[in-house]
Coordinates of all heavy atoms in Angstrom, one line a residue:
M125 N 103.1 75.1 85.2 CA 103.4 76.3 84.6 C 104.6 76.3 83.7 O 104.7 77.2 82.9 CB 103.6 77.3 85.9 CG 102.3 77.7 86.4 SD 102.4 78.9 87.9 CE 103.5 80.0 87.2
I126 N 105.6 75.5 84.0 CA 106.8 75.4 83.3 C 106.5 75.2 81.8 O 106.8 76.0 81.0 CB 107.8 74.4 83.8 CG1 108.3 74.9 85.3 CG2 108.9 74.1 82.8 CD1 109.1 73.8 85.9
R127 N 105.6 74.3 81.5 CA 105.2 73.9 80.2 C 104.3 75.0 79.6 O 104.4 75.2 78.3 CB 104.6 72.5 80.1 CG 105.6 71.4 80.2 CD 104.8 70.1 80.0 NE 103.9 69.9 81.1 CZ 103.1 68.9 81.2 NH1 103.2 67.9 80.4 NH2 102.3 68.8 82.2
M128 N 103.5 75.6 80.4 CA 102.6 76.6 79.9 C 103.4 77.8 79.3 O 103.0 78.4 78.3 CB 101.7 77.1 81.0 CG 100.6 78.1 80.5 SD 99.5 78.8 81.8 CE 99.5 77.5 83.1
F129 N 104.5 78.1 79.9 CA 105.4 79.1 79.4 C 106.3 78.7 78.4 O 107.2 79.4 77.8 CB 106.1 79.8 80.6 CG 105.3 80.9 81.3 CD1 104.4 80.5 82.2 CD2 105.4 82.2 81.0 CE1 103.6 81.4 83.0 CE2 104.6 83.1 81.6 CZ 103.7 82.7 82.6
G130 N 106.3 77.4 78.0 CA 107.2 76.9 76.9 C 108.5 76.6 77.3 O 109.5 76.6 76.5
C131 N 108.7 76.5 78.7 CA 110.1 76.2 79.3 C 110.3 74.7 79.5 O 109.4 73.9 79.4 CB 110.2 77.0 80.6 SG 110.0 78.8 80.4
F132 N 111.6 74.4 79.6 CA 112.0 73.0 79.8 C 112.4 72.6 81.3 O 112.5 71.4 81.5 CB 113.1 72.6 78.8 CG 112.7 73.0 77.4 CD1 113.2 74.2 76.8 CD2 111.9 72.2 76.6 CE1 112.8 74.5 75.5 CE2 111.4 72.4 75.4 CZ 112.0 73.6 74.8
S133 N 112.6 73.5 82.1 CA 112.9 73.2 83.4 C 112.6 74.4 84.4 O 112.2 75.5 83.8 CB 114.6 73.0 83.5 OG 115.2 74.3 83.2
F134 N 112.7 74.2 85.6 CA 112.5 75.3 86.6 C 113.3 76.4 86.3 O 113.0 77.6 86.3 CB 112.5 74.7 88.0 CG 112.2 75.8 89.1 CD1 111.0 76.3 89.3 CD2 113.4 76.4 89.8 CE1 110.8 77.3 90.2 CE2 113.1 77.3 90.6 CZ 111.9 77.9 90.9
E135 N 114.7 76.1 86.2 CA 115.6 77.1 85.9 C 115.3 78.0 84.6 O 115.4 79.3 84.6 CB 117.0 76.6 85.8 CG 117.5 76.0 87.1 CD 116.9 74.6 87.4 OE1 116.3 73.9 86.5 OE2 117.0 74.2 88.6
D136 N 114.9 77.3 83.7 CA 114.5 77.9 82.3 C 113.3 78.8 82.6 O 113.2 80.0 82.1 CB 114.2 76.9 81.3 CG 113.9 77.3 79.9 OD1 114.4 78.4 79.5 OD2 113.3 76.6 79.1
F137 N 112.2 78.3 83.4 CA 111.2 79.2 83.7 C 111.5 80.4 84.4 O 111.0 81.5 84.1 CB 110.2 78.3 84.6 CG 109.0 79.0 85.1 CD1 108.0 79.3 84.3 CD2 109.0 79.5 86.4 CE1 106.8 80.1 84.9 CE2 108.0 80.1 87.1 CZ 106.8 80.4 86.2
M138 N 112.4 80.2 85.4 CA 112.8 81.4 86.3 C 113.6 82.5 85.4 O 113.3 83.7 85.6 CB 113.7 81.0 87.4 CG 112.9 80.1 88.4 SD 111.5 81.0 89.2 CE 112.4 82.1 90.3
E139 N 114.4 81.9 84.6 CA 115.1 82.8 83.6 C 114.1 83.5 82.7 O 114.2 84.8 82.4 CB 116.1 82.1 82.8 CG 117.0 83.0 81.9 CD 118.1 82.2 81.2 OE1 118.7 81.4 81.9 OE2 118.2 82.5 80.0
T140 N 113.2 82.9 82.1 CA 112.1 83.4 81.2 C 111.2 84.5 81.8 O 111.0 85.5 81.3 CB 111.3 82.3 80.6 OG1 112.2 81.5 79.9 CG2 110.3 82.8 79.6
T141 N 110.8 84.1 83.1 CA 109.8 85.1 83.8 C 110.4 86.0 84.7 O 109.7 86.9 85.2 CB 108.8 84.1 84.5 OG1 109.4 83.4 85.5 CG2 108.0 83.2 83.6
G142 N 111.6 85.9 85.1 CA 112.2 86.7 86.1 C 111.8 86.3 87.6 O 112.1 87.0 88.5
G143 N 111.1 85.3 87.7 CA 110.6 84.7 89.1 C 109.7 85.6 89.8 O 109.6 85.5 91.1
S144 N 109.0 86.4 89.2 CA 108.0 87.4 89.9 C 106.7 87.2 89.3 O 106.5 87.1 88.1 CB 108.5 88.8 89.8 OG 107.5 89.7 90.0
F145 N 105.6 87.3 90.1 CA 104.3 87.2 89.6 C 104.0 88.3 88.5 O 103.4 88.1 87.5 CB 103.2 87.3 90.6 CG 101.8 87.4 90.1 CD1 101.2 86.3 89.6 CD2 101.1 88.6 90.1 CE1 99.9 86.4 89.0 CE2 99.9 88.8 89.5 CZ 99.2 87.6 89.0
V146 N 104.5 89.5 88.8 CA 104.2 90.6 87.9 C 104.8 90.3 86.5 O 104.2 90.7 85.5 CB 104.9 91.9 88.5 CG1 104.9 93.0 87.5 CG2 104.2 92.3 89.8
T147 N 105.9 89.8 86.5 CA 106.6 89.5 85.2 C 105.9 88.3 84.4 O 106.2 88.0 83.2 CB 108.1 89.2 85.3 OG1 108.3 88.2 86.1 CG2 108.8 90.5 85.8
L148 N 105.0 87.6 85.1 CA 104.3 86.5 84.4 C 103.2 87.1 83.5 O 102.8 86.5 82.5 CB 103.6 85.6 85.4 CG 104.5 84.8 86.4 CD1 103.6 84.0 87.3 CD2 105.5 83.8 85.7
V149 N 102.7 88.3 83.9 CA 101.6 88.9 83.2 C 102.1 89.7 82.1 O 103.1 90.5 82.2 CB 100.8 89.8 84.3 CG1 99.6 90.6 83.6 CG2 100.4 88.9 85.4
H150 N 101.4 89.8 80.9 CA 101.7 90.5 79.7 C 101.8 92.0 80.2 O 100.9 92.5 81.0 CB 100.6 90.4 78.7 CG 100.9 91.0 77.3 ND1 100.9 92.3 77.2 CD2 101.3 90.5 76.2 CE1 101.2 92.6 76.0 NE2 101.5 91.5 75.3
P151 N 102.8 92.7 79.7 CA 103.0 94.1 80.2 C 101.7 95.0 80.0 O 101.4 95.8 80.9 CB 104.1 94.6 79.3 CG 104.9 93.4 79.0 CD 103.9 92.3 78.9
E152 N 101.0 94.8 78.9 CA 99.8 95.6 78.6 C 98.7 95.2 79.7 O 97.7 96.1 79.8 CB 99.3 95.4 77.2 CG 100.3 96.1 76.3 CD 99.8 95.8 74.9 OE1 98.7 95.2 74.6 OE2 100.6 96.1 73.9
D153 N 98.7 94.1 80.3 CA 97.7 93.6 81.2 C 97.9 93.9 82.7 O 97.2 93.9 83.6 CB 97.4 92.2 81.1 CG 96.8 91.8 79.6 OD1 96.4 92.8 78.9 OD2 96.8 90.7 79.4
R154 N 99.1 94.3 83.0 CA 99.6 94.4 84.4 C 98.9 95.4 85.3 O 98.5 95.0 86.4 CB 101.1 94.7 84.5 CG 102.0 93.6 84.0 CD 103.4 93.9 84.0 NE 104.2 92.8 83.4 CZ 105.4 92.9 83.0 NH1 106.1 94.0 83.1 NH2 106.1 91.8 82.4
C155 N 98.6 96.5 84.8 CA 97.9 97.6 85.7 C 96.5 97.1 85.9 O 96.0 97.1 87.1 CB 97.8 98.9 84.9 SG 99.4 99.7 85.0
R156 N 95.8 96.5 84.9 CA 94.4 96.1 85.1 C 94.4 94.8 86.1 O 93.6 94.8 87.0 CB 93.8 95.6 83.8 CG 92.4 95.1 84.0 CD 91.8 94.4 82.6 NE 92.7 93.5 82.0 CZ 92.9 92.2 82.3 NH1 92.2 91.8 83.4 NH2 93.7 91.4 81.7
V157 N 95.4 93.9 86.0 CA 95.4 92.8 86.7 C 95.6 93.2 88.2 O 95.0 92.7 89.1 CB 96.4 91.7 86.2 CG1 96.7 90.7 87.2 CG2 95.9 91.2 84.9
D158 N 96.7 94.1 88.4 CA 97.0 94.5 89.7 C 95.7 95.2 90.4 O 95.4 94.8 91.6 CB 98.0 95.6 89.7 CG 98.5 96.1 91.0 OD1 98.9 95.2 91.9 OD2 98.3 97.3 91.3
K159 N 95.0 96.0 89.7 CA 93.8 96.7 90.2 C 92.7 95.6 90.5 O 92.1 95.7 91.6 CB 93.3 97.7 89.2 CG 92.0 98.5 89.8 CD 91.5 99.4 88.7 CE 90.3 100.2 89.1 NZ 89.3 99.5 90.0
D160 N 92.4 94.7 89.5 CA 91.5 93.7 89.8 C 91.7 92.9 91.0 O 90.9 92.7 91.8 CB 91.3 92.8 88.5 CG 90.7 93.5 87.3 OD1 90.2 94.6 87.5 OD2 90.7 92.9 86.2
I161 N 93.0 92.4 91.1 CA 93.3 91.6 92.3 C 93.1 92.4 93.7 O 92.6 91.9 94.6 CB 94.8 91.2 92.2 CG1 94.8 90.0 91.1 CG2 95.2 90.6 93.6 CD1 96.2 89.6 90.8
R162 N 93.6 93.7 93.7 CA 93.5 94.5 94.9 C 92.0 94.7 95.2 O 91.6 94.6 96.4 CB 94.3 95.8 94.6 CG 95.7 95.7 94.7 CD 96.4 97.0 94.5 NE 97.9 96.9 94.4 CZ 98.8 96.7 95.3 NH1 98.2 96.6 96.5 NH2 100.0 96.5 95.0
D163 N 91.3 95.1 94.2 CA 89.8 95.3 94.4 C 89.1 94.0 95.0 O 88.3 94.2 95.9 CB 89.1 95.9 93.0 CG 89.5 97.2 92.7 OD1 90.2 97.9 93.5 OD2 89.2 97.6 91.6
Q164 N 89.4 92.9 94.4 CA 88.8 91.7 94.7 C 89.2 91.2 96.1 O 88.4 90.8 97.0 CB 89.0 90.6 93.8 CG 88.3 90.9 92.5 CD 88.6 89.8 91.4 OE1 88.6 88.6 91.7 NE2 89.0 90.2 90.2
I165 N 90.5 91.3 96.5 CA 90.9 90.7 97.8 C 90.6 91.8 98.9 O 90.2 91.4 100.0 CB 92.3 90.4 97.8 CG1 93.2 91.6 97.7 CG2 92.7 89.3 96.9 CD1 94.7 91.2 97.9
S166 N 90.3 93.1 98.6 CA 90.0 94.0 99.6 C 88.4 93.8 100.0 O 88.0 94.1 101.1 CB 90.1 95.5 99.2 OG 89.2 95.8 98.2
G167 N 87.6 93.2 99.1 CA 86.3 93.0 99.3 C 85.9 91.5 99.7 O 84.7 91.2 99.8
S168 N 86.9 90.7 99.9 CA 86.8 89.3 100.2 C 87.4 88.9 101.6 O 88.6 89.0 101.6 CB 87.3 88.4 99.0 OG 87.4 87.1 99.5
P169 N 86.5 88.4 102.5 CA 87.1 88.1 103.8 C 88.2 86.9 103.6 O 89.2 86.8 104.4 CB 86.0 87.5 104.6 CG 84.7 88.1 103.9 CD 85.1 88.4 102.5
E170 N 88.0 86.1 102.5 CA 88.9 85.0 102.4 C 90.1 85.5 101.5 O 91.1 84.7 101.2 CB 88.1 83.9 101.5 CG 87.2 83.2 102.4 CD 85.8 84.0 102.2 OE1 85.6 84.8 101.4 OE2 84.8 83.8 103.1
K171 N 90.1 86.7 101.1 CA 91.2 87.2 100.2 C 91.3 86.5 98.9 O 92.5 86.1 98.5 CB 92.5 87.2 100.9 CG 92.5 88.1 102.3 CD 92.2 89.5 102.0 CE 92.1 90.3 103.2 NZ 91.3 91.5 103.1
L172 N 90.2 86.2 98.2 CA 90.2 85.5 97.0 C 90.1 86.4 95.8 O 89.5 87.5 95.9 CB 88.9 84.5 96.9 CG 88.9 83.5 98.1 CD1 87.5 82.8 97.9 CD2 90.0 82.5 97.9
D173 N 90.8 85.9 94.6 CA 90.6 86.8 93.4 C 90.5 85.8 92.3 O 90.9 84.7 92.3 CB 91.8 87.8 93.2 CG 93.1 87.0 93.0 OD1 93.2 86.7 91.8 OD2 93.9 86.9 93.9
F174 N 89.9 86.3 91.2 CA 89.9 85.7 89.9 C 90.2 86.7 88.8 O 89.5 87.7 88.7 CB 88.5 85.0 89.7 CG 88.3 84.5 88.3 CD1 88.9 83.4 87.8 CD2 87.5 85.3 87.3 CE1 88.7 83.0 86.5 CE2 87.4 84.9 86.0 CZ 87.9 83.8 85.6
V175 N 91.2 86.4 88.0 CA 91.6 87.3 86.9 C 92.0 86.5 85.7 O 92.3 85.3 85.7 CB 92.7 88.3 87.3 CG1 92.4 89.3 88.2 CG2 94.0 87.5 87.7
N176 N 91.8 87.1 84.6 CA 92.0 86.5 83.3 C 93.0 87.5 82.5 O 92.7 88.7 82.5 CB 90.7 86.4 82.7 CG 90.6 86.2 81.2 OD1 91.4 86.6 80.4 ND2 89.6 85.6 80.8
Y177 N 94.1 87.0 82.0 CA 95.1 87.8 81.3 C 96.0 87.0 80.4 O 95.9 85.8 80.3 CB 95.9 88.6 82.4 CG 96.6 87.6 83.3 CD1 97.7 87.1 83.2 CD2 95.9 87.4 84.6 CE1 98.4 86.2 84.1 CE2 96.5 86.5 85.6 CZ 97.8 85.9 85.2 OH 98.3 85.1 86.1
R178 N 96.8 87.8 79.7 CA 97.8 87.1 78.8 C 99.1 86.9 79.4 O 99.5 87.7 80.3 CB 97.9 87.9 77.5 CG 96.6 88.2 76.8 CD 96.8 89.2 75.6 NE 96.9 90.5 76.4 CZ 97.3 91.6 75.6 NH1 97.5 91.6 74.3 NH2 97.4 92.7 76.3
I179 N 99.8 85.9 78.9 CA 101.2 85.7 79.3 C 101.9 85.6 78.0 O 101.4 85.4 76.9 CB 101.5 84.3 80.1 CG1 101.0 83.1 79.3 CG2 100.7 84.4 81.4 CD1 101.4 81.8 79.9
V180 N 103.2 85.9 78.1 CA 104.1 85.9 76.9 C 105.0 84.6 77.2 O 105.8 84.5 78.2 CB 105.1 87.1 76.8 CG1 105.9 86.9 75.5 CG2 104.2 88.4 76.7
R181 N 105.0 83.7 76.3 CA 105.6 82.4 76.4 C 107.1 82.6 76.0 O 107.5 83.7 75.4 CB 105.1 81.4 75.6 CG 103.6 81.1 76.0 CD 103.1 80.0 75.2 NE 103.6 78.8 75.7 CZ 103.7 77.7 74.9 NH1 103.2 77.5 73.7 NH2 104.4 76.6 75.4
K182 N 108.0 81.8 76.3 CA 109.4 81.8 75.9 C 109.6 82.1 74.5 O 110.5 82.9 74.1 CB 110.0 80.6 76.4 CG 111.6 80.4 76.1 CD 112.2 79.3 76.6 CE 113.8 79.4 76.3 NZ 114.4 78.4 76.9
D183 N 108.9 81.5 73.6 CA 109.0 81.7 72.2 C 108.3 83.0 71.7 O 108.4 83.2 70.5 CB 108.6 80.6 71.4 CG 107.0 80.4 71.5 OD1 106.3 81.2 72.1 OD2 106.5 79.3 71.0
G184 N 107.7 83.8 72.6 CA 107.2 85.1 72.2 C 105.7 85.0 71.9 O 105.1 86.0 71.8
S185 N 105.2 83.9 71.8 CA 103.7 83.7 71.6 C 102.9 84.1 72.8 O 103.4 84.0 73.9 CB 103.4 82.3 71.1 OG 103.6 81.4 72.1
L186 N 101.7 84.5 72.6 CA 100.8 84.8 73.7 C 99.9 83.7 74.0 O 99.4 82.9 73.1 CB 100.1 86.1 73.3 CG 100.8 87.3 73.0 CD1 99.8 88.5 72.6 CD2 101.6 87.7 74.1
R187 N 99.5 83.6 75.3 CA 98.5 82.6 75.7 C 97.6 83.3 76.8 O 98.1 84.1 77.6 CB 99.2 81.4 76.3 CG 98.1 80.4 76.8 CD 98.6 79.1 77.2 NE 99.0 78.4 76.0 CZ 99.4 77.1 76.0 NH1 99.7 76.5 77.1 NH2 99.6 76.5 74.9
R188 N 96.3 83.1 76.7 CA 95.4 83.7 77.7 C 95.2 82.7 78.8 O 95.0 81.5 78.6 CB 94.1 84.0 77.1 CG 93.2 84.8 78.1 CD 92.0 85.5 77.4 NE 92.4 86.6 76.6 CZ 92.7 87.8 77.1 NH1 92.7 88.1 78.4 NH2 93.1 88.8 76.2
V189 N 95.3 83.1 80.1 CA 95.1 82.2 81.3 C 94.1 82.8 82.2 O 93.8 84.0 82.2 CB 96.3 82.0 82.0 CG1 97.5 81.3 81.1 CG2 97.1 83.3 82.5
E190 N 93.5 82.0 83.0 CA 92.6 82.3 84.1 C 93.4 82.0 85.4 O 94.1 81.0 85.5 CB 91.4 81.5 84.2 CG 90.4 81.8 83.0 CD 89.2 81.0 83.1 OE1 89.1 79.9 83.6 OE2 88.1 81.6 82.6
E191 N 93.3 82.9 86.4 CA 94.1 82.6 87.7 C 93.1 82.9 88.7 O 92.4 83.8 88.8 CB 95.2 83.6 87.7 CG 96.0 83.6 89.1 CD 95.7 84.8 89.8 OE1 95.8 85.9 89.4 OE2 95.4 84.5 91.0
F192 N 93.0 81.8 89.6 CA 92.3 81.9 90.8 C 93.3 82.0 92.0 O 94.0 81.2 92.2 CB 91.4 80.7 91.1 CG 90.4 80.4 89.9 CD1 90.8 79.7 88.8 CD2 89.1 80.9 90.1 CE1 89.9 79.4 87.8 CE2 88.2 80.6 89.0 CZ 88.6 79.9 87.9
G193 N 93.2 83.1 92.7 CA 94.2 83.5 93.7 C 93.7 83.5 95.1 O 92.5 83.7 95.3
H194 N 94.6 83.4 96.0 CA 94.3 83.5 97.5 C 95.4 84.0 98.1 O 96.6 83.5 98.0 CB 93.9 82.0 98.0 CG 93.6 82.0 99.5 ND1 92.5 82.5 99.9 CD2 94.4 81.6 100.5 CE1 92.6 82.3 101.3 NE2 93.8 81.8 101.6
R195 N 95.3 85.2 98.8 CA 96.3 85.9 99.5 C 96.5 85.2 100.9 O 95.6 85.0 101.6 CB 96.0 87.3 99.7 CG 96.9 88.2 100.4 CD 98.2 88.6 99.7 NE 97.8 89.2 98.5 CZ 98.7 89.7 97.7 NH1 100.0 89.6 98.0 NH2 98.5 90.2 96.5
V196 N 97.7 84.6 101.1 CA 98.0 84.1 102.4 C 99.2 84.8 103.0 O 99.8 85.7 102.4 CB 98.4 82.6 102.2 CG1 97.2 81.8 101.7 CG2 99.6 82.4 101.3
H197 N 99.5 84.6 104.3 CA 100.5 85.4 105.0 C 101.4 84.4 105.7 O 101.1 83.3 106.1 CB 99.9 86.3 106.1 CG 99.1 87.4 105.5 ND1 99.7 88.6 105.2 CD2 97.7 87.5 105.2 CE1 98.7 89.3 104.7 NE2 97.5 88.7 104.7
E198 N 102.7 84.8 105.8 CA 103.8 84.1 106.5 C 103.3 84.0 107.9 O 102.3 84.7 108.4 CB 105.1 84.8 106.5 CG 105.7 84.7 105.1 CD 106.5 83.3 104.9 OE1 106.4 82.4 105.7 OE2 107.1 83.2 103.9
L199 N 104.0 83.2 108.7 CA 103.6 83.0 110.0 C 103.7 84.3 110.9 O 103.0 84.4 111.9 CB 104.5 81.9 110.7 CG 104.3 80.5 110.2 CD1 105.2 79.6 110.8 CD2 102.8 80.1 110.5
D200 N 104.6 85.2 110.5 CA 104.7 86.5 111.2 C 103.4 87.4 111.0 O 103.3 88.4 111.6 CB 106.0 87.2 110.7 CG 105.9 87.7 109.3 OD1 104.9 87.7 108.6 OD2 107.1 88.1 108.8
G201 N 102.6 87.0 110.0 CA 101.4 87.7 109.8 C 101.4 88.9 109.0 O 100.5 89.5 108.7
R202 N 102.6 89.3 108.6 CA 102.8 90.6 107.8 C 103.1 90.4 106.4 O 102.8 91.1 105.5 CB 104.0 91.3 108.5 CG 103.6 91.7 109.8 CD 104.8 92.4 110.4 NE 105.9 91.4 110.6 CZ 107.1 91.6 111.2 NH1 107.4 92.6 111.6 NH2 108.0 90.6 111.2
T203 N 103.8 89.3 106.0 CA 104.4 89.1 104.7 C 103.3 88.5 103.8 O 103.1 87.3 103.9 CB 105.7 88.3 104.6 OG1 106.6 89.0 105.6 CG2 106.3 88.4 103.4
P204 N 102.7 89.2 102.8 CA 101.7 88.5 102.0 C 102.4 87.6 100.9 O 103.4 87.9 100.4 CB 101.0 89.6 101.3 CG 101.9 90.8 101.3 CD 102.9 90.7 102.6
L205 N 101.8 86.3 100.7 CA 102.3 85.4 99.7 C 101.1 85.2 98.9 O 100.1 84.7 99.2 CB 102.9 84.2 100.4 CG 104.0 84.4 101.3 CD1 104.2 83.0 102.0 CD2 105.3 84.8 100.5
P206 N 101.3 85.4 97.6 CA 100.2 85.0 96.6 C 100.2 83.4 96.4 O 101.3 82.9 96.4 CB 100.6 85.7 95.3 CG 102.0 85.9 95.4 CD 102.4 86.0 96.8
S207 N 99.1 82.9 96.3 CA 98.9 81.5 95.8 C 98.0 81.5 94.8 O 96.9 82.0 94.8 CB 98.3 80.8 97.1 OG 98.0 79.6 96.8
F208 N 98.4 80.9 93.6 CA 97.5 81.0 92.4 C 97.7 79.9 91.5 O 98.7 79.6 90.9 CB 97.8 82.4 91.6 CG 99.4 82.6 91.5 CD1 100.1 82.0 90.6 CD2 99.9 83.6 92.5 CE1 101.5 82.3 90.5 CE2 101.2 83.8 92.4 CZ 102.0 83.2 91.5
P209 N 96.7 79.1 91.4 CA 96.7 78.0 90.3 C 96.3 78.7 88.9 O 95.3 79.6 89.0 CB 95.6 77.0 90.8 CG 94.7 77.8 91.7 CD 95.5 79.0 92.2
F210 N 96.9 78.3 87.9 CA 96.6 78.8 86.6 C 95.9 77.8 85.7 O 96.0 76.6 85.9 CB 97.9 79.2 85.9 CG 98.7 80.3 86.3 CD1 99.6 80.1 87.3 CD2 98.5 81.5 85.9 CE1 100.4 81.2 87.7 CE2 99.1 82.7 86.4 CZ 100.2 82.4 87.4
S211 N 95.1 78.3 84.9 CA 94.4 77.4 83.9 C 94.5 78.1 82.6 O 93.9 79.2 82.3 CB 93.0 77.3 84.3 OG 92.2 76.6 83.3
P212 N 95.1 77.5 81.5 CA 95.1 78.1 80.2 C 93.8 78.1 79.5 O 93.1 77.1 79.8 CB 96.2 77.2 79.5 CG 96.2 75.9 80.2 CD 95.9 76.2 81.7
L213 N 93.5 79.1 78.8 CA 92.2 79.1 78.1 C 92.3 78.5 76.6 O 93.3 78.6 76.1 CB 91.7 80.6 78.1 CG 91.3 81.1 79.4 CD1 91.0 82.7 79.2 CD2 90.3 80.4 80.1

């Protein structure tokens, strides 16, 4: 993911993206992606989702990615953690 965003290190990636899944997604795609993920995981016993959206790289260029996600929980059973491998298109 570091290279996909045009970054050179983990620190560079965190500074570029803000360290949040929401900030990884292009601003114009965020509402749709959020809705798609919520709709898909609510209808999936395994809490799986598949979405396709744009990211903004460090240099400002756009790249379309596919994301296959799986919602997991901390040991306390309450705190959801997203798990998502990315694939550039």
Side-chain angles (χ1 to χ4, degrees):
M125 282 182 47
I126 292 169
R127 285 187 294 179
M128 189 183 332
F129 277 84
C131 299
F132 302 102
S133 66
F134 178 73
E135 292 77 18
D136 189 25
F137 171 78
M138 294 300 284
E139 185 177 316
T140 299
T141 64
S144 165
F145 173 74
V146 171
T147 60
L148 299 178
V149 179
H150 188 285
E152 294 175 3
D153 296 346
R154 289 179 186 163
C155 287
R156 176 188 52 80
V157 168
D158 182 62
K159 181 183 182 323
D160 287 353
I161 290 172
R162 288 179 189 279
D163 290 350
Q164 289 178 47
I165 64 174
S166 70
S168 168
E170 298 85 14
K171 303 298 183 205
L172 301 174
D173 70 82
F174 167 76
V175 288
N176 162 330
Y177 53 88
R178 297 170 293 169
I179 61 170
V180 181
R181 300 184 70 203
K182 182 177 179 173
D183 66 5
S185 64
L186 301 180
R187 179 172 281 183
R188 186 165 291 282
V189 298
E190 291 180 330
E191 176 253 307
F192 299 89
H194 177 73
R195 176 81 50 183
V196 296
H197 293 273
E198 286 281 6
L199 294 177
D200 65 13
R202 295 174 296 186
T203 311
L205 299 171
S207 170
F208 41 83
F210 290 92
S211 175
L213 294 176

